[in-house]
Amino acid sequence: MASPLIEDHALLSDQRTTALVTRDGVIDWLCMPRFDSAAMLCSLLGDQSHGHWTLRIAGGEVVSRRYLPETMVLETEWRSPTGSAVITEFMPIAASDETSPCLQGDTRDHSDLIRSVRCTGGTVEVEQELRIRFEYGSVVPWMRKDTDVEGRPVLAAVAGGDALAVHGPALTPQGRCHVGRHSASANETLTWVLTWHPSWMQIPPAPDLGDALEHTVSEWSQWLGQVRVHERYAQPVARSLLVLRALTHRRSGGIVAAATTSLPEDFGGERNWDYRYCWLRDATLSLEALLTHDHVNAAEQWRDWLLRAIAGDPDQLQIMYNIVGDRNLPESELEHLPGYEGSLPVRIGNGAAAQYQADVVGEVMIALGMMRERGVQESEWSWPLQKVLVRYTEKRIDQPDQGIWEMRGDPAFFTHGRVMVWATFDRAVTAVEHHGMPADAEDVERWKQLREKLRAEILERGVDESGSFVQFYGSNEVDASLLQIPHTGFVPADDPHMLATVARIEQDLLTDDGLLLRYRTNGQDGLEGDEHPFLVCCFWMVEQYATSGRTGDALTMMDRTLACANDLDLMAEEYDGTAGRMAGNFPQAFSHLGLIRAVDAITGDIRD
């Protein structure tokens, strides 16, 4: 069976974990109870033998699908020769999330996924196949009939510490899976609930459909609030904000980069990475987008997550952590999985956690500085944390790094990274001089001197004879991260160096189909193969065009990039313009936060 296109998927989330469901009713990716838990439905990276839950209308076809307004609750309309139906799918956000005890950093002791079929006319047959496979499709569970704590019948699956229970009309065994076929007449509703719980605990009851739906819709819509952007972009911005929330752990505040692992950047190649972790860079840029649109609580929650994650010896700072702030993320390969469209290896964990990336502290300092500008008060430890980060950066000021793109080749002095080191000292000085943050006078003077030294160094070594910034010192290449330089305040978007850089990027990285590569893959990144245009880079170009006065070009690039989203306004990491399909992990926080910033750059902040 051919792999479903990445863009055929919808995202479900309870703000603790996620599931992906295809247009034709297959849940082929599900991790519970956390974003980074081992998948128990994993056919996305293999085939149906690796776990899936298929629910569809027999003999039917999908007429349309949508999210309920301002939510992550999915509705799919089906039509068959005998009738019509609407399937509603969501992961309920329980009212008890705020008060129940935690389990290893999680919010409560179970997670639910609800699939409900309402016949809207005639009669329909609902057909299902459920094949549960724990540990990324490698473990066949013990299946049995059981009852929950209230005595209701369930289909139960157990393997090790994981257990699943299925409430609803009974499924029957067939080989090593379970199947069902159930009839529904007009106005009749059939509902199934899949619940994860620790195997040593009693099976919890299924939530009431009406109560769970009402509360979940309310949670999403109240969080989103009013989106104040130009009507032309209101829907994609609203969806992008909801995606960022969907990728944020409800209680810990950590923001994962994407919902998946090992969806390829190069189909059939080795550029397959696990993105279910919290990159400081990605999270800070997400935080800026959320803060711009009044989600101050989310910003404060992320700051608290950051304080916990990097607590301890500053020399042990990492570029990424897991969703609760743990730092042990060993990278390994799942050899039993054939990969998405044969893309190997399938990886879990991420070895880039051990890299030094010079830009990361600058990204954090910019975001925390933005919080001050928005009037968010420093917590007891947030300013001391920033001073520690400045000392960390000062100690490594002469150390080359792997860059924003996590090169697995030799380290270098990447120009974007050096600008971010400059930004670290700049934001520290600004915090003291403009916001009254306490610091020793000699420290502030040294920060000023380092800031000026870095500016001179960057303009001497990070610029070529044409006046363009270069990818790294001594290079004659450019990369799209250079488009972020004006965001730091190092130079404005219409500075001659930026205009020369944009001209080089247009020449070297702009593809024939109007999208932007992040850099030219000429072997320097230590990997085989090629990759497709990065959507966040396209949005960065929109921002650069808009802020340098090229409004027409900004609108053109914006329209081209928005066209890469699927019918639900979800975006992956990359887009293959030649084949007209998405590539890379999905949905990608980086792409969606880039969209929000690009819209803000084009339309301006309506509140101002």
Side-chain angles (χ1 to χ4, degrees):
M1 176 179 290
S3 300
L5 294 174
I6 293 170
E7 57 266 32
D8 278 348
H9 291 87
L11 177 73
L12 307 179
S13 170
D14 62 0
Q15 300 170 18
R16 301 191 306 151
T17 190
T18 56
L20 296 184
V21 55
T22 68
R23 182 186 304 273
D24 58 352
V26 181
I27 295 180
D28 56 8
W29 182 253
L30 174 64
C31 303
M32 283 184 167
R34 296 191 339 190
F35 299 102
D36 55 354
S37 297
M40 53 196 63
L41 303 178
C42 193
S43 61
L44 179 65
L45 299 179
D47 55 42
Q48 290 194 342
S49 70
H50 297 106
H52 69 101
W53 184 9
T54 299
L55 184 153
R56 55 166 59 103
I57 304 303
E61 62 180 5
V62 174
V63 177
S64 65
R65 64 175 180 171
R66 64 164 191 149
Y67 286 113
L68 294 183
E70 303 175 341
T71 78
M72 298 300 293
V73 177
L74 181 69
E75 275 194 351
T76 306
E77 182 181 355
W78 287 76
R79 183 180 298 125
S80 76
T82 60
S84 59
V86 171
I87 299 177
T88 301
E89 300 168 278
F90 65 104
M91 302 182 78
I93 300 172
S96 60
D97 262 3
E98 300 302 329
T99 58
S100 59
C102 295
L103 174 69
Q104 295 181 346
D106 207 22
T107 53
R108 54 194 171 106
D109 58 11
H110 66 277
S111 294
D112 300 310
L113 192 161
I114 297 178
R115 311 186 82 177
S116 182
V117 183
R118 179 172 59 88
C119 181
T120 54
T123 301
V124 295
E125 295 285 324
V126 183
E127 59 181 11
Q128 292 190 69
E129 181 175 318
L130 175 62
R131 189 184 300 266
I132 298 168
R133 295 293 183 267
F134 292 110
E135 291 293 332
Y136 300 101
S138 66
V139 175
V140 179
W142 172 38
M143 307 289 297
R144 71 190 191 281
K145 294 181 179 179
D146 205 337
T147 57
D148 66 18
V149 293
E150 296 179 349
R152 293 184 174 88
V154 299
L155 173 65
V158 175
D162 289 307
L164 289 176
V166 182
H167 288 83
L171 304 179
T172 58
Q174 179 178 292
R176 306 194 82 177
C177 67
H178 283 72
V179 299
R181 193 175 182 95
H182 302 87
S183 296
S185 301
N187 298 318
E188 185 178 359
T189 298
L190 300 174
T191 300
W192 288 266
V193 180
L194 183 149
T195 299
W196 175 91
H197 65 96
S199 60
W200 58 87
M201 297 184 67
Q202 288 184 292
I203 298 172
D208 176 79
L209 173 63
D211 291 345
L213 182 59
E214 179 182 5
H215 182 78
T216 300
V217 167
S218 176
E219 285 282 343
W220 286 113
S221 60
Q222 288 185 21
W223 179 87
L224 179 64
Q226 183 180 2
V227 177
R228 293 191 293 268
V229 299
H230 191 281
E231 181 180 358
R232 177 177 181 179
Y233 301 112
Q235 176 55 36
V237 167
R239 182 55 50 199
S240 292
L241 287 167
L242 287 167
V243 168
L244 295 181
R245 181 59 173 171
L247 297 176
T248 302
H249 195 280
R250 183 173 176 81
R251 293 297 298 276
S252 79
I255 305 172
V256 297
T260 57
T261 180
S262 298
L263 290 181
E265 299 169 11
D266 179 22
F267 295 108
E270 66 172 333
R271 297 171 181 265
N272 319 310
W273 314 107
D274 193 345
Y275 277 10
R276 299 170 300 153
Y277 302 112
C278 304
W279 272 253
L280 297 187
R281 176 192 308 109
D282 298 42
T284 55
L285 294 173
S286 297
L287 177 141
E288 291 177 33
L290 292 168
L291 201 59
T292 300
H293 290 267
D294 291 333
H295 293 290
V296 176
N297 288 341
E300 291 180 313
Q301 191 181 28
W302 175 84
R303 185 180 65 187
D304 292 343
W305 173 89
L306 176 69
L307 286 166
R308 295 190 303 270
I310 69 175
D313 188 342
D315 285 340
Q316 295 178 323
L317 178 73
Q318 294 186 178
I319 65 164
M320 73 176 84
Y321 300 83
N322 76 8
I323 197 66
V324 296
D326 294 337
R327 55 184 66 225
N328 188 23
L329 311 176
E331 184 176 301
S332 60
E333 299 177 5
L334 300 179
E335 296 182 356
H336 67 279
L337 287 171
Y340 181 89
E341 295 193 3
S343 303
L344 292 173
V346 173
R347 295 182 171 96
I348 57 172
N350 200 305
Q355 288 186 355
Y356 171 60
Q357 296 176 14
D359 71 293
V360 168
V361 171
E363 305 278 12
V364 171
M365 293 293 290
I366 289 172
L368 295 177
M370 185 177 180
M371 290 183 70
R372 278 192 297 273
E373 296 290 342
R374 292 280 175 171
V376 180
Q377 296 297 312
E378 298 283 356
S379 69
E380 179 182 3
W381 297 109
S382 60
W383 173 242
L385 162 73
Q386 291 166 72
K387 291 194 288 186
V388 168
L389 292 176
V390 175
R391 289 197 296 272
Y392 170 90
T393 302
E394 186 174 351
K395 186 175 180 179
R396 288 160 179 77
I397 196 166
D398 295 322
Q399 181 178 338
D401 75 309
Q402 306 301 140
I404 184 174
W405 307 125
E406 300 179 352
M407 302 292 192
R408 298 209 171 190
D410 294 333
F413 289 108
F414 288 90
T415 301
H416 168 265
R418 300 304 281 174
V419 171
M420 282 297 177
V421 174
W422 171 90
T424 298
F425 298 110
D426 178 72
R427 294 313 191 269
V429 171
T430 300
V432 174
E433 295 187 339
H434 293 182
H435 297 277
M437 293 295 103
D440 293 338
E442 56 268 30
D443 287 339
V444 177
E445 183 58 31
R446 189 173 67 258
W447 297 344
K448 288 181 179 180
Q449 292 174 3
L450 290 171
R451 181 177 61 176
E452 294 311 307
K453 178 182 176 181
L454 281 160
R455 172 175 286 279
E457 173 203 296
I458 292 163
L459 293 176
E460 177 185 356
R461 302 182 62 191
V463 176
D464 68 10
E465 61 278 2
S466 73
S468 167
F469 289 111
V470 294
Q471 184 179 33
F472 55 85
Y473 293 174
S475 169
N476 59 3
E477 297 279 342
V478 290
D479 80 47
S481 69
L482 300 171
L483 296 170
Q484 288 291 280
I485 291 177
H487 185 66
T488 69
F490 186 80
V491 294
D494 59 357
D495 182 88
H497 290 309
M498 282 307 304
L499 299 183
T501 303
V502 169
R504 282 284 310 281
I505 288 174
E506 290 173 327
Q507 173 185 312
D508 294 352
L509 302 182
L510 194 62
T511 64
D512 292 339
D513 51 24
L515 299 172
L516 202 66
L517 299 167
R518 56 178 178 170
Y519 57 83
R520 292 200 292 197
T521 51
N522 51 16
Q524 66 176 353
D525 59 7
L527 298 168
E528 297 292 333
D530 214 332
E531 60 185 29
H532 302 289
F534 260 59
L535 295 179
V536 71
C537 298
C538 301
F539 288 125
W540 288 347
M541 185 64 102
V542 172
E543 190 176 357
Q544 167 64 30
Y545 282 153
T547 52
S548 62
R550 295 174 59 176
T551 305
D553 291 328
L555 292 171
T556 298
M557 175 68 86
M558 189 71 184
D559 288 344
R560 175 67 188 98
T561 312
L562 287 177
C564 299
N566 71 3
D567 58 311
L568 298 171
D569 290 316
L570 302 179
M571 308 188 89
E573 181 179 26
E574 302 180 5
Y575 193 81
D576 180 351
T578 302
R581 60 179 300 194
M582 294 183 186
N585 283 305
F586 174 87
Q588 178 86 350
F590 228 14
S591 300
H592 284 280
L593 67 90
L595 184 157
I596 295 167
R597 269 182 41 182
V599 168
D600 289 341
I602 288 176
T603 64
D605 191 345
I606 290 178
R607 295 166 297 174
D608 294 341

